[in-house]
Amino acid sequence: MPYNIEFQIAGLIVVLILLVVFFAKERFHSLQNSIYRALLIITVVELILDIASVISITNRELCPRLNNFLSKGYLIAMLAYIACIGLYTLANTPYSGMPKWRRTSKQIQAGVIIIGLIVSCVLVLTRELLYGGEGKFIYSYGPASDTVYMFSTISVIYVVIVLLINIRNIPPAKQISIYSFCIMEGIIAIVQMFNKELLIIGFGTAATIMIMYFTIENPDMKMIKALNNANKKNRELLLNILPESVADRLKDSHSTFTEQFNDVTIMFLDLVNFSKLSNDIGAQKIVVLLNKFFSQIDDLLSVFRVEKIKTMGDSYMAAAGIPDYYEENHEEMLRFAFAVLKLLEGFNKRNGTSIQVRIGLNTGPVVAGIIGKKKFIYDLWGEAVNLASRMESYGVPDRINVSPYLAKKLEPNHSLEMQPVTHIKGFGEMETYLVRN
């Protein structure tokens, strides 16, 4: 071989294999992995420039500018490689839980490394590069090369100090990869001091990169995806049972709770003559029909600020103004109730059915929350809830029956039809109102 590039070629092959393996697999996102990704690319560029500069040196009379570009490009790539090792070492030192001055110190150190890299690159570009040796064993030296050696020496000292200071906090595997850089740099510096024509720096960088590969952040991505998917499904199931803010609160507090709301609007919906309908078409068919109808009501919830509370047999309960209170929740609930009636009209046409429903609304104070230890459900308690249920029971099919308390709020904006005074169980004599659409 006319050029002394055996070590560089071997190192390039190793790094190219690592490059393919690294980018062929999905990787865990971390600062260390990002730096390693940059190191891989820089090392490939460095080795290619190293090989090209060796070939160029032996023919530098033909194109001195190209030779100077390749040689100094290789030195700059080496500087970038060394700087990345320093940043990688710094990235592996602890950050969370550190005092503010330590965190600030890390940021300053990273800044110094980058500034040192920039200054060194400027010196390489502006200082002279000399050549020695003959034929196959020709090599470069001089002020530009000395800048790289100087930057490398300072970096090794810095890396060792950082490792010693944080030796208890940096995982042993990480320490091995970083120490390998220091050892490689030291051995190569000594070898090349006495054998300038033996160009092994590129192979040393490749060996360090290879050792580092086995210590990078790389958990099983398939397992992580499976866990993320499982967590997502668990979250979706939880949100089908509980309102989002309630689920978040329960997750954070790990205990059940209740809270008082002073102005909530509650809706009860019930199918008319459900028992007769079950006998006419059979229990299995009525359950399928009921599921289809209630599922379509569920779909309406995405359009309104209304929270489904629960279903009980053929009864559907919802509320507005909880768990996140907002003004005018009674108006929102009324719009939702009318939307349900319109939905029912289309449902009957599509399915050839004649289902009727009673809807009762009431507004007032409630206690809302989760009690017990198992099979959590977000529920409401209070007289306002009981009266809303009575409004449904004493209502008119396919109409919205409201309590006198809710009627007072609706009266300015809606046409109400007063019903005869009725004895409401648990509440005595009471006027109720039907809301005209």
Side-chain angles (χ1 to χ4, degrees), residues 155-198:
S155 296
V156 168
I157 294 171
Y158 166 77
V159 166
V160 171
I161 292 173
V162 170
L163 281 176
L164 292 176
I165 292 174
N166 299 279
I167 195 164
R168 294 184 178 181
N169 298 315
I170 299 178
K174 301 286 187 183
Q175 293 184 36
I176 291 171
S177 64
I178 298 169
Y179 277 129
S180 69
F181 162 75
C182 300
I183 294 168
M184 289 288 179
E185 288 294 305
I187 292 174
I188 289 168
I190 294 171
V191 170
Q192 294 226 214
M193 188 183 299
F194 297 100
N195 301 276
K196 293 185 182 294
E197 74 283 354
L198 192 59

Side-chain angles (χ1 to χ4, degrees), residues 362 382-395 401 403-405 420-432:
N362 181 42
E383 288 298 302
V385 178
N386 296 334
L387 185 54
S389 178
R390 297 287 185 269
M391 291 300 100
E392 175 271 310
S393 300
Y394 291 88
N401 193 35
S403 69
Y405 310 112
V421 175
T422 307
H423 181 82
I424 305 297
K425 183 179 178 181
F427 293 91
E429 302 296 319
M430 184 176 289
E431 296 174 349
T432 64

Side-chain angles (χ1 to χ4, degrees), residues 270-279 283 286-287 290 313-314:
D270 194 82
L271 268 66
V272 177
N273 295 325
F274 180 71
S275 298
K276 181 178 181 303
L277 192 60
S278 297
N279 292 331
I286 191 62
V287 169
L290 189 65
D314 64 322

Side-chain angles (χ1 to χ4, degrees), residues 32 48 68 92-93 96 185 202 220 262 275 281 318 325 341 360 404:
Q32 292 92 331
I48 291 173
N68 195 59
N92 279 292
T93 60
S96 59
E185 288 294 305
D220 190 333
N262 295 323
S275 298
I281 67 174
Y325 177 77
L341 289 178

Side-chain angles (χ1 to χ4, degrees), residues 159-412:
V159 166
V160 171
I161 292 173
V162 170
L163 281 176
L164 292 176
I165 292 174
N166 299 279
I167 195 164
R168 294 184 178 181
N169 298 315
I170 299 178
K174 301 286 187 183
Q175 293 184 36
I176 291 171
S177 64
I178 298 169
Y179 277 129
S180 69
F181 162 75
C182 300
I183 294 168
M184 289 288 179
E185 288 294 305
I187 292 174
I188 289 168
I190 294 171
V191 170
Q192 294 226 214
M193 188 183 299
F194 297 100
N195 301 276
K196 293 185 182 294
E197 74 283 354
L198 192 59
L199 306 178
I200 60 171
I201 293 178
F203 184 78
T205 59
T208 301
I209 286 292
M210 183 177 65
I211 294 171
M212 193 178 292
Y213 173 80
F214 296 104
T215 67
I216 61 174
E217 308 280 339
N218 187 34
D220 190 333
M221 295 305 297
K222 288 184 179 179
M223 182 178 70
I224 289 177
K225 279 188 175 180
L227 287 172
N228 287 339
N229 289 335
N231 288 333
K232 185 179 178 181
K233 287 181 180 179
N234 289 338
R235 175 72 175 175
E236 290 172 351
L237 287 171
L238 188 62
L239 293 181
N240 279 332
I241 300 170
L242 303 173
E244 185 173 5
S245 59
V246 173
D248 292 337
R249 181 172 174 179
L250 190 64
K251 180 183 69 174
D252 295 335
S253 65
H254 302 291
S255 62
T256 55
F257 63 91
T258 59
E259 54 188 334
Q260 177 79 37
F261 291 88
N262 295 323
D263 182 23
V264 171
T265 305
I266 309 104
M267 181 194 87
F268 278 89
L269 175 149
D270 194 82
L271 268 66
V272 177
N273 295 325
F274 180 71
S275 298
K276 181 178 181 303
L277 192 60
S278 297
N279 292 331
D280 289 344
I281 67 174
Q284 186 172 357
K285 288 184 178 180
I286 191 62
V287 169
V288 172
L289 199 66
L290 189 65
N291 175 64
K292 187 185 294 186
F293 178 50
F294 280 0
S295 294
Q296 291 184 19
I297 296 178
D298 288 344
D299 292 337
L300 278 178
L301 295 171
S302 61
V303 183
F304 297 90
R305 294 180 65 188
V306 173
E307 194 68 47
K308 177 181 178 180
I309 303 302
K310 58 186 174 182
T311 57
M312 301 159 288
D314 64 322
S315 180
Y316 191 103
M317 179 184 178
I322 57 158
D324 303 309
Y325 177 77
Y326 61 93
E327 296 288 345
E328 304 296 321
N329 58 74
H330 56 283
E331 292 285 354
E332 184 74 353
M333 179 57 83
L334 185 61
R335 285 191 289 269
F336 177 71
F338 278 123
V340 170
L341 289 178
K342 186 176 180 180
L343 170 68
L344 176 61
E345 185 180 344
F347 183 86
N348 282 330
K349 288 180 180 178
R350 288 190 300 272
N351 293 279
T353 54
S354 55
I355 294 174
Q356 290 184 300
V357 298
R358 289 187 300 268
I359 296 177
L361 304 182
N362 181 42
T363 187
V366 301
V367 174
I370 300 173
I371 59 176
K373 294 182 177 180
K374 295 182 178 180
K375 295 185 178 180
F376 294 145
I377 183 173
Y378 185 70
D379 210 347
L380 309 181
W381 300 270
E383 288 298 302
V385 178
N386 296 334
L387 185 54
S389 178
R390 297 287 185 269
M391 291 300 100
E392 175 271 310
S393 300
Y394 291 88
V396 176
D398 294 342
R399 298 293 300 274
I400 299 171
N401 193 35
V402 302
S403 69
Y405 310 112
L406 180 54
K408 288 182 181 179
K409 291 187 175 185
L410 297 175
E411 192 172 16

